[in-house]
Amino acid sequence: MSLFNRLFRTSSHFTNNQGGKNMLNIGIVLGSTREGRVSPQVGAWVKELADNRGDANYEIIDIADYSLPLLGEPDGDASGVAAWSEKIAEMDGFVFIVQEYNHSISAALKNALDYLRVEWNDKAAGIVSYGSVGGARATEHLRGILSELSIAHVRVHPALSLFTDFENGTHFAPKDVQVQSVNDMLDQLLPWTEAMQSVRTKSTSETA
């Protein structure tokens, strides 16, 4: 095992032996809704890499597809909240595509997280971020929020640079090393997702 793998506890592969319709459902959440965003490019790339593994059902979840006004805003059109709740409840785990705005996550992502609670609880998540410093500061803020929502977030964190993984800051062109980084993150995410699924099952049986 390489020094990197020993330090960060990554593995070369993870096999989810549930198979077929019983495979874990992982939502790839696009964390930006602004015009001109590049998160769809990043999300599509992550999904392609993930689908090639064949170890879970991966799905893009775009916050922009749901009507989620600022939480508590009077007269806001919150018609998308029920669908948002249903979609998140269907997922066993998540990969958050996170962009850094003023050293933190986007307001749209924070708002979407705040709308729900039990739908997030006792699940697992990985983070793929981007920004001038790879989105590192936004990721650290997000980790605190995920902890409060009882989401187990894995350590390995693909951090994409606007200077080296994008052309002119708009066209996504990741370096080859980022492919391994995403797979290492997923290698950690899948076992944690299975473990948290067991936690949810135990909690349900105890309250039944």
Side-chain angles (χ1 to χ4, degrees):
M1 181 180 290
S2 70
L3 175 61
F4 179 87
N5 285 342
R6 289 200 302 271
L7 287 174
F8 294 96
R9 288 186 158 185
T10 63
S11 60
S12 59
H13 67 279
F14 170 76
T15 302
N16 175 20
N17 57 15
Q18 295 186 47
K21 293 182 179 180
N22 294 323
M23 284 202 297
L24 299 169
N25 295 314
I26 306 295
I28 301 172
V29 181
L30 305 186
S32 174
T33 59
R34 70 172 180 83
E35 185 177 353
R37 62 194 175 140
V38 295
S39 55
Q41 297 179 55
V42 179
W45 171 73
V46 171
K47 186 177 187 303
E48 181 179 6
L49 295 176
D51 285 343
N52 287 338
R53 298 163 58 94
D55 53 9
N57 297 316
Y58 296 93
E59 178 181 349
I60 297 288
I61 301 177
D62 191 347
I63 294 172
D65 290 339
Y66 300 84
S67 179
L68 301 174
L70 289 177
L71 185 63
E73 184 179 26
D75 303 320
D77 176 14
S79 59
V81 175
W84 176 244
S85 172
E86 182 179 359
K87 177 55 63 179
I88 297 305
E90 291 173 357
M91 298 296 117
D92 299 302
F94 307 94
V95 175
F96 289 96
I97 308 300
V98 179
Q99 44 293 118
E100 186 166 312
Y101 293 109
N102 296 322
H103 288 217
S104 191
I105 63 174
S106 70
L109 177 56
K110 180 61 165 65
N111 190 57
L113 287 164
D114 288 347
Y115 258 100
L116 308 176
R117 190 159 193 90
V118 297
E119 295 90 338
W120 299 116
N121 288 171
D122 298 329
K123 296 181 180 180
I127 301 169
V128 177
S129 68
Y130 60 90
S132 59
V133 291
R137 296 165 299 200
T139 294
E140 290 309 303
H141 279 198
L142 179 59
R143 288 188 186 280
I145 298 167
L146 297 183
S147 294
E148 178 61 22
L149 292 172
S150 296
I151 298 176
H153 40 97
V154 302
R155 182 178 185 181
V156 174
H157 158 223
L160 306 166
S161 170
L162 288 177
F163 303 112
T164 60
D165 294 304
F166 293 82
E167 296 176 358
N168 300 318
T170 58
H171 176 67
F172 185 47
K175 297 299 182 183
D176 291 342
V177 68
Q178 300 293 5
V179 172
Q180 185 61 48
S181 183
V182 170
N183 278 303
D184 288 342
M185 178 270 292
L186 294 172
D187 283 342
Q188 291 192 344
L189 175 61
L190 270 293
W192 271 101
T193 302
E194 281 196 303
M196 297 308 289
Q197 189 178 51
S198 299
V199 170
R200 295 199 307 281
T201 300
K202 180 179 180 181
S203 296
T204 300
S205 63
E206 288 178 348
T207 56

